[in-house]
Amino acid sequence: MKPVSSAFQWFTGIWIFLIVISGMLLPIPYIPILKETARNIYFHVPQSFAMVFILCFSFWNSFQYLRKRDLRFDMKAESAASVGMLFGITTIVTGAVWADYTWGVFWNWDPKQTLFLGLLFVYGAYFVLRLSVDDPQKRALLGAAYNLFAFVMMPFLVFILPRLLPGLHPGAPEDGGANNPVFTGINLLIRVMLYSSVLGFCMLAYWLYTIRTRLLILKSKF
Amino acid sequence: MEIYLVAGILGIIWASLFFYLKRLEARVSELENEGKESHE
């Protein structure tokens, strides 16, 4: 697998640095209850977008493995899934800290929180399944087949069910249903910052994915 | 004032992580090159 260019690395580094600094220092509209914690939208939400973005690579590589039976695709699928898990965990952690400030507890079984955790368990099972098989080809085959099912569950667990069930997250039925305020009801500066941050975290996820894949390929050679 | 402190701390954490990733990237390239040379 080709490494990302040095220009890509520097661009990602500087882009996220600017997001971190401007996300903290630019003015943010006063939102009752959220107050200054609203700035977490620039970190918590993009990390979940980055997870979805990199899990698409995992799905695609598992699909390619099933077509071509080349173990390199399996390694790519595994590394993308592990980077996706990393971003999933950071999303849960930043969300729990935010929830403590705004809802009063770290965890309150809100449908979006709970289903997102469920998705992490689904992908956790992917790694457990892989660990339980010794033969590389068999492991890759089982892993790839499972990964396709895991990916198909993702839109339901992350995007569809939380909008149908009552809860505290924005986008729940009491909050306007499918009109998630991230896409419609927030001011332009927040939206520009949010999408810039999504871009930055997706680039970071891709960079981590390339490093992890190259490490796995190296490991398989020695 | 606190917000400047938080921005500074997060900036330093990100910068450290970035340079760690740069070093890791360089190390992986080095190992790949060593592998190629020993193969030849």
Side-chain angles (χ1 to χ4, degrees), chain A residues 1 3-4 6 9-10 12-17 20-21 24-25 36 39 43 204 207-208 210-211 214-215 218 222, chain B residues 3-4 6-8 10-12 14-15 17-19 21-22 24-35 38:
Chain A
M1 179 168 208
V4 295
S6 185
Q9 295 165 23
W10 279 105
T12 306
I14 293 167
W15 190 262
I16 296 182
F17 185 77
V20 168
I21 300 299
M24 285 294 141
L25 300 184
E36 289 292 326
R39 295 177 190 278
F43 306 99
L204 175 64
W207 184 15
L208 290 174
T210 59
I211 294 178
R214 288 159 63 209
L215 276 171
L218 274 171
F222 295 109
Chain B
I3 203 78
Y4 290 98
V6 176
L10 286 178
I12 290 167
W14 167 244
L17 184 64
F18 171 71
F19 286 110
L21 283 175
K22 288 285 289 176
L24 186 63
E25 175 79 37
R27 181 73 186 129
V28 173
S29 300
E30 210 176 284
L31 286 170
E32 281 172 339
N33 289 335
E34 276 173 24
S38 65

Side-chain angles (χ1 to χ4, degrees), chain A:
Chain A
M1 179 168 208
K2 273 188 180 174
V4 295
S5 66
S6 185
F8 181 94
Q9 295 165 23
W10 279 105
F11 184 77
T12 306
I14 293 167
W15 190 262
I16 296 182
F17 185 77
L18 291 176
I19 292 291
V20 168
I21 300 299
S22 53
M24 285 294 141
L25 300 184
L26 282 178
I28 194 157
Y30 179 81
I31 305 167
I33 303 173
L34 294 183
K35 296 173 192 157
E36 289 292 326
T37 70
R39 295 177 190 278
N40 193 21
I41 198 173
Y42 304 138
F43 306 99
H44 170 67
V45 180
Q47 282 164 10
S48 72
F49 273 68
M51 181 198 77
V52 172
F53 168 76
I54 210 69
L55 288 180
C56 293
F57 281 82
S58 183
F59 168 78
W60 175 247
N61 284 305
S62 284
F63 179 68
Q64 289 294 79
Y65 173 79
L66 291 175
R67 279 182 63 212
K68 299 178 180 169
R69 302 295 158 104
D70 182 342
L71 279 176
R72 275 176 305 177
F73 288 114
D74 178 58
M75 288 175 204
K76 286 181 182 181
E78 190 200 349
S79 55
S82 57
V83 173
M85 278 290 276
L86 174 72
F87 278 94
I89 292 166
T90 57
T91 303
I92 286 269
V93 171
T94 52
V97 173
W98 204 2
D100 185 42
Y101 279 100
T102 55
W103 302 340
V105 280
F106 284 102
W107 196 268
N108 71 354
W109 302 104
D110 171 78
K112 197 158 196 168
Q113 263 187 332
T114 313
L115 292 170
F116 197 92
L117 182 67
L119 180 73
L120 293 191
F121 282 135
V122 167
Y123 272 94
Y126 167 72
F127 295 103
V128 174
L129 176 70
R130 294 183 63 89
L131 283 172
S132 64
V133 184
D134 286 331
D135 177 47
Q137 286 292 351
K138 204 172 170 185
R139 179 174 59 220
L141 183 64
L142 279 170
Y146 180 86
N147 199 8
L148 299 190
F149 286 107
F151 184 79
V152 169
M153 285 182 75
M154 183 182 60
F156 293 97
L157 294 175
V158 178
F159 299 111
I160 299 172
L161 285 173
R163 304 252 173 98
L164 299 174
L165 298 167
L168 292 167
H169 253 94
E174 313 89 307
D175 196 39
N179 297 323
N180 193 323
V182 168
F183 300 106
T184 53
I186 52 174
N187 101 5
L188 185 65
L189 175 67
I190 297 183
R191 226 184 298 177
V192 170
M193 280 290 296
L194 177 67
Y195 292 134
S196 307
S197 182
V198 168
L199 175 70
F201 278 99
C202 287
M203 290 190 299
L204 175 64
Y206 184 76
W207 184 15
L208 290 174
Y209 157 66
T210 59
I211 294 178
R212 174 102 181 111
T213 304
R214 288 159 63 209
L215 276 171
L216 281 181
I217 291 173
L218 274 171
K219 211 173 145 190
S220 71
K221 286 179 183 167
F222 295 109

